Structures are given as structure tokens and as C-alpha cells.
Amino acid sequence: MAYFIDLFSPETYLAFARSTRDISGFRIRHKNTAEKIKRGDVFVCYLTKLSRWFALLEVVEGPFIDDAPIFLSENDPFVVRFRVRPTIWLDIDKGIPIHDRSVWERLSFTRDLKEGGIAWTGKVRSSLVQLGEQDGAFLAERLAAQALERKTYPLDERDKRNVATHTVNRPDKVVTVSVPEDADVVEPTERITVPPDTEARESIRMQAELANIGAKMGMKIWIPRADRGGVLRAWADEGGVLLDRLPLNYDETTLRTIEQIDVLWLKGRSIVRAFEVEHTTSVYSGILRMADLVALQPNMNIKLHIVAPESRRDKVFQEIRRPVFSLLEKGPLAEYCTYLSYASLHKLAEQEHLSHMSETVLDEYEEEAE
């Protein structure tokens, strides 16, 4: 028996709870990992935003591919599926917070960390991450005990806001959206030293890292002219891949919008990836630029990414799911604009064989707004 993490957002938790609870689905990018899972393995269910463990699902059959909607509206993205049997299922207020000392001090990826840090979040960033045997067995035992004890862990005001769902009725489907609070914390600008004895903002350094990764993969790179001086102090354009102009045939308004995006990867005359880096801003400036682009050119087939520190992750997802972005002609922005953490890009940059990789490797590092 092996244990794997099954992530639920508050929205998918509520939808699954209303269903027959016998099918658990995952996105198509999880297909290869899913094929390693066997009958009798266990999904340990974790509730994002509220950071709680709440259920055990025993694998009965699978994986198999099925795109018929189960408990979501049309275009259900969770097409890699397993038949499961719930052995433990807890209400949200009975779910065990990962920060509860009885859990925090026992899990291998939290017990040596100070509370308040975010290093542990990498473990619960994606579904089907395998838990160590001891961690899995401990959580199974702890959840079984909680199913009998049924201790209440009250939701604070932030938890209640996260559980509350808002929807927008599109012509083709109903979309769950988020309404972020107006207040936002602007982080102090982080600066690093870049040889020779010059300083670059962290956002510039991330633009440079994205340019470097793309160049090694054989991409042409676009950087806004206003940022080039800083980026080129942190990245040596050894292959001459930085474009002086974009080889695109769009109207002037579209071109002005595209030219301001922080980093573009191009193959030939086509943009394949677009990145906005959000470090010290209130996050939505780059997202607005992405939304403007999609509104201007709804048929443009580009994968969009917001790059931000781990501490901004939840804010990125809140902004991507604003009601206004759910009404774009191309479809809700959350369906094709994803989040990339600084840590995940650093990890990708360390890969030895980037020159032999396709840009699709980013699919393994990105996170969707569930």
C-alpha cells in the first residue's frame, strides 16, 4: 500500500461532498504519475486554502480517461480518474489543520521547521505527490482517530471567506470566481548582488532566469525595452537570441500590449509562452496585461504564466479568478493562465539537459487555480 496526496480546493471539496464520492479525478498532466498507482493505494486528501487533512480514499480501479462531467460543470478538467472508496470523510470544521501541533511535529516535511515558514508547502503543491510510508501511515491513523473523536477545529474569518463560493454564469457554463479583499500587502523590494558589483531587483533576476531557461531550450526571447539593461546585467545573451523587434503581424494596440509583457518565448514567428513576474506589486498589474492580451486576441494560442514568490501564491490565484476575468471570450482566465513559483523555476533552471527539453516541461512545474 502506498499513500498519495489528493488536493481539494474548497469548491471541489463541496462538489465532491455532494456527489456519490466514488470518482476522484486529476488533470491530464498527472497521467504518467497516475499510472504508477495501484488498487489498494490510498489518497490522503488535503484541503487547500484552509490547510487541513480531511479524508482517506482507497483506490478501487484506475486510472482511466473520461471527460464526461461528474460533479463540475461542462469542461471538467479532471479527466484522469480513479474509482475510489471513502474510508474516512470529515466535515471541513472537523478536518485536521496541518499546523496543529499533533500533526506539525510528526510529519517529516514540517517537524523541523519553524511555524510561519513556507518551505513545507512544496509537498502539498500538487496532487499525486507520494507521501513517505511513515507520513502516510501516521496521517491515516490520525484521521481514523479524528473520525471517532470528531474534535472541532473552528474556522476563522479568513477560512470562512475561502469556503464561501461565488459563481458567474457564462453562456456555456457556470464558473467559480473569487472576490479578493481590497487590502494588499506590498512586500519590500528584495535586491541581490549581481556581478560585477551591480544590484538587480528580484523581479529582474527572475526575468533573466526565464530568459536563460528559454534560450537553452532553443527559444527566441523578448524582454520589454525598459527592462533590458537590468536583465542583460544578470543574463549573458551568448546566443544572440534576444529579439530587437517582435516578428508578429498584429494591430498596433495588440503589439503595444504584447511588448510590455515581462518575458516571451518564441519559436519562429509564434509566441509559445508568456510570463509576467510579480514580486513587489499588488499582483494584478501583470494579470491585467495578460487579460488585455486575451481580450484583444481571443484566438491566440499562448500559454500564460504568472511568476511570483511562494508568499504571493494565494493572492495570484485570487486575482486570476476575479469575476471580470471569467467572462473573457476565450474562456475564464484561470483555465489557461497558471502560477509558477520562484522555487519551481530555480529547480527547473538547475536541470542539466535543458537543451534537450521542450517548453512543455513547464507543465510539470506550473500550478492551476483549482
Short mmCIF file of all heavy atoms in Angstrom, two decimals, residues 269-299:
data_model
loop_
_atom_site.label_atom_id
_atom_site.label_comp_id
_atom_site.label_asym_id
_atom_site.label_seq_id
_atom_site.Cartn_x
_atom_site.Cartn_y
_atom_site.Cartn_z
N ARG A 269 7.89 32.51 -35.71
CA ARG A 269 7.08 33.72 -35.62
C ARG A 269 5.92 33.55 -34.64
O ARG A 269 4.97 34.33 -34.67
CB ARG A 269 6.55 34.08 -37.01
CG ARG A 269 7.65 34.39 -38.02
CD ARG A 269 7.09 34.56 -39.42
NE ARG A 269 6.15 35.68 -39.49
CZ ARG A 269 6.51 36.94 -39.71
NH1 ARG A 269 7.80 37.25 -39.84
NH2 ARG A 269 5.62 37.89 -39.79
N SER A 270 6.03 32.56 -33.77
CA SER A 270 4.93 32.30 -32.85
C SER A 270 5.37 32.41 -31.39
O SER A 270 6.44 31.90 -31.03
CB SER A 270 4.36 30.89 -33.08
OG SER A 270 3.85 30.76 -34.39
N ILE A 271 4.55 33.04 -30.59
CA ILE A 271 4.77 33.08 -29.14
C ILE A 271 4.23 31.78 -28.56
O ILE A 271 3.09 31.40 -28.81
CB ILE A 271 4.05 34.28 -28.49
CG1 ILE A 271 4.52 35.59 -29.10
CG2 ILE A 271 4.29 34.28 -26.98
CD1 ILE A 271 3.69 36.79 -28.67
N VAL A 272 5.05 31.08 -27.77
CA VAL A 272 4.59 29.83 -27.17
C VAL A 272 4.34 29.95 -25.66
O VAL A 272 3.54 29.22 -25.09
CB VAL A 272 5.57 28.67 -27.45
CG1 VAL A 272 5.58 28.33 -28.92
CG2 VAL A 272 6.97 29.00 -26.97
N ARG A 273 5.05 30.88 -25.00
CA ARG A 273 4.85 31.09 -23.57
C ARG A 273 5.00 32.58 -23.27
O ARG A 273 5.86 33.26 -23.83
CB ARG A 273 5.87 30.32 -22.73
CG ARG A 273 5.86 28.81 -22.96
CD ARG A 273 4.84 28.11 -22.08
NE ARG A 273 4.73 26.70 -22.45
CZ ARG A 273 4.19 25.77 -21.67
NH1 ARG A 273 3.72 26.08 -20.48
NH2 ARG A 273 4.11 24.52 -22.08
N ALA A 274 4.17 33.07 -22.36
CA ALA A 274 4.26 34.46 -21.91
C ALA A 274 4.30 34.48 -20.39
O ALA A 274 3.54 33.76 -19.73
CB ALA A 274 3.05 35.26 -22.43
N PHE A 275 5.19 35.30 -19.83
CA PHE A 275 5.39 35.32 -18.38
C PHE A 275 5.28 36.75 -17.85
O PHE A 275 5.87 37.68 -18.41
CB PHE A 275 6.80 34.80 -18.02
CG PHE A 275 7.12 33.45 -18.58
CD1 PHE A 275 7.67 33.32 -19.85
CD2 PHE A 275 6.90 32.29 -17.84
CE1 PHE A 275 8.00 32.07 -20.38
CE2 PHE A 275 7.23 31.03 -18.35
CZ PHE A 275 7.78 30.93 -19.62
N GLU A 276 4.56 36.90 -16.76
CA GLU A 276 4.55 38.16 -16.01
C GLU A 276 5.12 37.87 -14.63
O GLU A 276 4.66 36.94 -13.94
CB GLU A 276 3.13 38.72 -15.88
CG GLU A 276 2.63 39.45 -17.10
CD GLU A 276 3.30 40.82 -17.28
OE1 GLU A 276 3.99 41.27 -16.36
OE2 GLU A 276 3.11 41.43 -18.35
N VAL A 277 6.13 38.62 -14.22
CA VAL A 277 6.76 38.44 -12.92
C VAL A 277 6.18 39.45 -11.95
O VAL A 277 6.21 40.65 -12.21
CB VAL A 277 8.29 38.63 -13.03
CG1 VAL A 277 8.94 38.43 -11.66
CG2 VAL A 277 8.88 37.65 -14.04
N GLU A 278 5.63 38.96 -10.85
CA GLU A 278 5.01 39.83 -9.84
C GLU A 278 5.73 39.65 -8.52
O GLU A 278 5.52 38.67 -7.81
CB GLU A 278 3.52 39.47 -9.69
CG GLU A 278 2.70 39.67 -10.96
CD GLU A 278 2.45 41.13 -11.26
OE1 GLU A 278 3.02 41.99 -10.58
OE2 GLU A 278 1.67 41.43 -12.18
N HIS A 279 6.60 40.60 -8.19
CA HIS A 279 7.36 40.49 -6.94
C HIS A 279 6.92 41.52 -5.90
O HIS A 279 6.53 41.18 -4.81
CB HIS A 279 8.85 40.64 -7.22
CG HIS A 279 9.70 40.47 -6.00
ND1 HIS A 279 9.87 39.24 -5.40
CD2 HIS A 279 10.40 41.36 -5.24
CE1 HIS A 279 10.64 39.38 -4.33
NE2 HIS A 279 10.97 40.66 -4.22
N THR A 280 6.98 42.78 -6.24
CA THR A 280 6.68 43.82 -5.26
C THR A 280 5.35 44.51 -5.53
O THR A 280 4.89 45.31 -4.74
CB THR A 280 7.78 44.89 -5.24
OG1 THR A 280 7.84 45.50 -6.53
CG2 THR A 280 9.12 44.27 -4.92
N THR A 281 4.73 44.21 -6.65
CA THR A 281 3.47 44.87 -6.99
C THR A 281 2.32 44.18 -6.29
O THR A 281 2.47 43.19 -5.59
CB THR A 281 3.23 44.82 -8.51
OG1 THR A 281 3.02 43.45 -8.89
CG2 THR A 281 4.43 45.36 -9.26
N SER A 282 1.12 44.68 -6.51
CA SER A 282 -0.06 44.09 -5.88
C SER A 282 -0.61 42.93 -6.70
O SER A 282 -1.77 42.59 -6.59
CB SER A 282 -1.14 45.16 -5.71
OG SER A 282 -1.42 45.78 -6.95
N VAL A 283 0.19 42.35 -7.55
CA VAL A 283 -0.08 41.13 -8.32
C VAL A 283 -0.93 41.36 -9.56
O VAL A 283 -0.63 40.83 -10.61
CB VAL A 283 -0.72 40.02 -7.44
CG1 VAL A 283 -1.24 38.87 -8.29
CG2 VAL A 283 0.28 39.49 -6.43
N TYR A 284 -1.97 42.18 -9.45
CA TYR A 284 -2.90 42.18 -10.58
C TYR A 284 -2.45 42.99 -11.79
O TYR A 284 -3.08 42.93 -12.83
CB TYR A 284 -4.30 42.63 -10.14
CG TYR A 284 -4.37 43.89 -9.32
CD1 TYR A 284 -4.19 45.14 -9.89
CD2 TYR A 284 -4.63 43.81 -7.95
CE1 TYR A 284 -4.27 46.28 -9.12
CE2 TYR A 284 -4.71 44.96 -7.19
CZ TYR A 284 -4.53 46.19 -7.77
OH TYR A 284 -4.62 47.32 -7.01
N SER A 285 -1.37 43.75 -11.70
CA SER A 285 -0.93 44.52 -12.87
C SER A 285 -0.57 43.60 -14.03
O SER A 285 -0.98 43.82 -15.17
CB SER A 285 0.25 45.42 -12.51
OG SER A 285 1.34 44.66 -12.05
N GLY A 286 0.23 42.56 -13.75
CA GLY A 286 0.59 41.62 -14.80
C GLY A 286 -0.58 40.80 -15.28
O GLY A 286 -0.71 40.50 -16.48
N ILE A 287 -1.46 40.42 -14.36
CA ILE A 287 -2.64 39.65 -14.73
C ILE A 287 -3.55 40.47 -15.64
O ILE A 287 -4.11 39.96 -16.62
CB ILE A 287 -3.38 39.16 -13.48
CG1 ILE A 287 -2.49 38.19 -12.69
CG2 ILE A 287 -4.69 38.48 -13.85
CD1 ILE A 287 -3.06 37.76 -11.36
N LEU A 288 -3.67 41.76 -15.35
CA LEU A 288 -4.47 42.63 -16.22
C LEU A 288 -3.89 42.68 -17.63
O LEU A 288 -4.63 42.68 -18.62
CB LEU A 288 -4.53 44.04 -15.63
CG LEU A 288 -5.52 44.28 -14.50
CD1 LEU A 288 -5.31 45.65 -13.89
CD2 LEU A 288 -6.95 44.13 -14.99
N ARG A 289 -2.54 42.71 -17.72
CA ARG A 289 -1.91 42.74 -19.03
C ARG A 289 -2.20 41.45 -19.79
O ARG A 289 -2.47 41.46 -20.99
CB ARG A 289 -0.41 42.97 -18.88
CG ARG A 289 0.27 43.40 -20.12
CD ARG A 289 1.50 44.28 -19.92
NE ARG A 289 2.29 43.90 -18.76
CZ ARG A 289 2.57 44.76 -17.77
NH1 ARG A 289 2.09 45.99 -17.79
NH2 ARG A 289 3.31 44.37 -16.76
N MET A 290 -2.14 40.32 -19.09
CA MET A 290 -2.49 39.04 -19.72
C MET A 290 -3.95 39.05 -20.19
O MET A 290 -4.27 38.61 -21.30
CB MET A 290 -2.28 37.89 -18.73
CG MET A 290 -0.83 37.66 -18.32
SD MET A 290 0.22 37.14 -19.68
CE MET A 290 1.57 36.37 -18.77
N ALA A 291 -4.84 39.54 -19.34
CA ALA A 291 -6.26 39.58 -19.69
C ALA A 291 -6.51 40.51 -20.88
O ALA A 291 -7.33 40.22 -21.76
CB ALA A 291 -7.09 40.02 -18.49
N ASP A 292 -5.79 41.65 -20.91
CA ASP A 292 -5.92 42.55 -22.05
C ASP A 292 -5.53 41.85 -23.35
O ASP A 292 -6.21 41.99 -24.38
CB ASP A 292 -5.02 43.78 -21.86
CG ASP A 292 -5.56 44.75 -20.83
OD1 ASP A 292 -6.76 44.65 -20.48
OD2 ASP A 292 -4.78 45.62 -20.37
N LEU A 293 -4.44 41.09 -23.30
CA LEU A 293 -3.97 40.39 -24.49
C LEU A 293 -5.02 39.40 -24.98
O LEU A 293 -5.34 39.35 -26.17
CB LEU A 293 -2.66 39.67 -24.18
CG LEU A 293 -2.10 38.77 -25.28
CD1 LEU A 293 -1.85 39.57 -26.56
CD2 LEU A 293 -0.83 38.08 -24.82
N VAL A 294 -5.58 38.62 -24.04
CA VAL A 294 -6.57 37.62 -24.42
C VAL A 294 -7.85 38.29 -24.93
O VAL A 294 -8.49 37.78 -25.86
CB VAL A 294 -6.88 36.71 -23.21
CG1 VAL A 294 -8.04 35.78 -23.52
CG2 VAL A 294 -5.65 35.90 -22.84
N ALA A 295 -8.21 39.43 -24.35
CA ALA A 295 -9.40 40.14 -24.82
C ALA A 295 -9.21 40.68 -26.23
O ALA A 295 -10.13 40.67 -27.06
CB ALA A 295 -9.73 41.28 -23.86
N LEU A 296 -7.98 41.14 -26.51
CA LEU A 296 -7.69 41.67 -27.84
C LEU A 296 -7.59 40.58 -28.89
O LEU A 296 -8.00 40.76 -30.04
CB LEU A 296 -6.37 42.46 -27.80
CG LEU A 296 -6.41 43.81 -27.08
CD1 LEU A 296 -4.99 44.31 -26.83
CD2 LEU A 296 -7.21 44.83 -27.88
N GLN A 297 -7.03 39.42 -28.50
CA GLN A 297 -6.79 38.32 -29.45
C GLN A 297 -7.27 37.00 -28.83
O GLN A 297 -6.47 36.16 -28.41
CB GLN A 297 -5.31 38.23 -29.81
CG GLN A 297 -4.75 39.45 -30.50
CD GLN A 297 -5.31 39.62 -31.91
OE1 GLN A 297 -5.72 38.66 -32.56
NE2 GLN A 297 -5.35 40.85 -32.38
N PRO A 298 -8.59 36.77 -28.76
CA PRO A 298 -9.11 35.56 -28.11
C PRO A 298 -8.70 34.26 -28.78
O PRO A 298 -8.74 33.20 -28.15
CB PRO A 298 -10.62 35.76 -28.15
CG PRO A 298 -10.86 36.75 -29.24
CD PRO A 298 -9.67 37.65 -29.23
N ASN A 299 -8.29 34.31 -30.03
CA ASN A 299 -7.90 33.08 -30.73
C ASN A 299 -6.41 32.81 -30.65
O ASN A 299 -5.91 31.82 -31.20
CB ASN A 299 -8.32 33.17 -32.21
CG ASN A 299 -9.83 33.21 -32.37
OD1 ASN A 299 -10.56 32.54 -31.63
ND2 ASN A 299 -10.31 34.02 -33.30
#
